[in-house]
Amino acid sequence: MTKMDELFQHSFKALRHELGHDRPCDTRPMWQRRLSTKSVFCQSLVSCGYMSEAQMQRAAQLYRLGMSRDGGVIFWQIDENDVMRDGKIMYYRTDCHRDHDRKPSWVCYHLRRAGMLPVDYKSDHCLFGLHLLKTQGGDRGGSSVCVVESEKTAVIMSALKPDYIWLATGGKTELNVAKLKPLQGRRVILFPDTDETGQTYRDWYEIAEAASDVFDHPVTVSSILEQRATKAQRAAKIDIADLLFHSKKYGL
């Protein structure tokens, strides 16, 4: 058991107060104790038509989605060795868009506040979904790995394009060569969101070039959004899930 595992194991009493769990004697790993498809996020994926109930259930199981007491989804960050690094708690509206009136927070932040981690403790974040390299057979290198910005996009794309392993950075500025390191030796495709100027694409392209030099094999950046997004879609900063979902919805 790692030091992180020990800290989390003994911190559950405090976390229960923060996240509302009612089984203090449960000794399962923390992410297992918080597994749920009843968050507003999971339910809105179905009600908004992004995926069927069965697809949502499968995606929630793949990504080990959790739920906080107040309905927030917990995007656990579990690395390629199946070690839990942290968990991001985020809030969504029933239209499956972010609730910007409620700020995201981190599980380790709550643990620090509860005195169960040192006040200066910093969690080592990784790509969301990284554990899928093992659980989806990615340890054999047979599946292409696609990296997007948001966790929501990765979850949706796992249903739209299930032949790929979909990971997320958690934000456009969260991508760097170090976080891509566990993907070395695999076919990697980056899918940055679009914007009005194309700056995100250029930034991710530079990182892909740097990673390619380090890995000694190409890291690809998809230009599909730069090629196909309309001016209005660029202004809305759509992602690959938006493009494919609406194309499918309108039969394009």
Side-chain angles (χ1 to χ4, degrees):
M1 180 179 291
T2 67
K3 184 177 180 181
M4 174 67 86
D5 292 331
E6 292 176 358
L7 287 169
F8 277 142
Q9 184 180 43
H10 296 298
S11 67
F12 185 55
K13 184 177 180 181
L15 186 66
R16 183 167 63 95
H17 173 72
E18 296 293 337
L19 300 183
H21 201 278
D22 59 1
R23 296 178 63 188
C25 295
D26 198 334
T27 59
R28 292 173 298 167
M30 184 183 296
W31 65 263
Q32 289 184 0
R33 296 194 292 259
R34 300 307 310 165
L35 284 176
S36 177
T37 58
K38 295 183 179 180
S39 65
V40 175
F41 171 73
C42 286
Q43 296 300 305
S44 66
L45 288 174
V46 178
S47 63
C48 293
Y50 284 103
M51 56 180 66
S52 67
E53 178 73 25
Q55 287 174 323
M56 183 273 287
Q57 293 282 347
R58 179 180 181 274
Q61 183 178 26
L62 280 176
Y63 290 98
R64 303 176 181 178
L65 301 182
M67 186 181 73
S68 64
R69 177 176 54 183
D70 54 0
V73 61
I74 305 176
F75 294 120
W76 293 112
Q77 289 194 351
I78 304 173
D79 68 19
E80 71 278 14
N81 297 312
D82 222 40
V83 174
M84 185 176 67
R85 301 285 191 89
D86 207 336
K88 186 194 292 187
I89 306 170
M90 298 185 72
Y91 299 91
Y92 285 80
R93 306 191 307 257
T94 55
D95 62 0
C96 209
H97 291 294
R98 280 274 311 280
D99 184 348
H100 292 286
D101 292 331
R102 308 177 74 181
K103 293 182 179 180
S105 62
W106 292 90
V107 169
C108 284
Y109 164 77
H110 292 287
L111 296 182
R112 288 196 300 269
R113 286 188 60 193
M116 305 309 295
L117 285 175
V119 294
D120 59 348
Y121 177 83
K122 293 184 179 179
S123 54
D124 186 15
H125 290 167
C126 65
L127 295 173
F128 170 72
L130 200 56
H131 64 282
L132 295 177
L133 298 182
K134 284 184 175 292
T135 60
Q136 272 195 281
D139 55 327
R140 296 188 297 273
S143 299
S144 295
V145 180
C146 301
V147 181
V148 296
E149 289 189 29
S150 79
E151 295 89 348
K152 169 187 168 181
T153 305
V155 171
I156 293 173
M157 291 304 297
S158 74
L160 294 179
K161 296 291 182 180
D163 291 338
Y164 299 89
I165 296 175
W166 293 91
L167 312 181
T169 64
K172 66 180 181 180
T173 61
E174 295 298 318
L175 181 68
N176 56 54
V177 175
K179 285 186 177 178
L180 293 174
K181 185 68 174 177
L183 309 182
Q184 186 170 1
R186 306 172 187 275
R187 180 171 182 250
V188 180
I189 310 171
L190 308 183
F191 287 87
D193 292 1
T194 192
D195 56 49
E196 292 178 290
T197 65
Q199 186 59 50
T200 305
Y201 176 85
R202 291 192 292 273
D203 290 343
W204 280 35
Y205 189 87
E206 288 184 6
I207 295 170
E209 290 287 284
S212 297
D213 290 340
V214 172
F215 299 168
D216 198 29
H217 65 79
V219 174
T220 305
V221 185
S222 173
S223 60
I224 185 172
L225 283 169
E226 300 305 303
Q227 295 172 352
R228 295 184 57 180
T230 66
K231 184 176 181 179
Q233 288 174 325
R234 287 178 177 275
K237 300 180 180 180
I238 69 165
D239 57 35
I240 185 62
D242 293 322
L243 181 68
L244 295 188
F245 175 71
H246 286 95
S247 294
K248 179 180 177 182
K249 181 177 180 181
Y250 296 110
L252 302 178

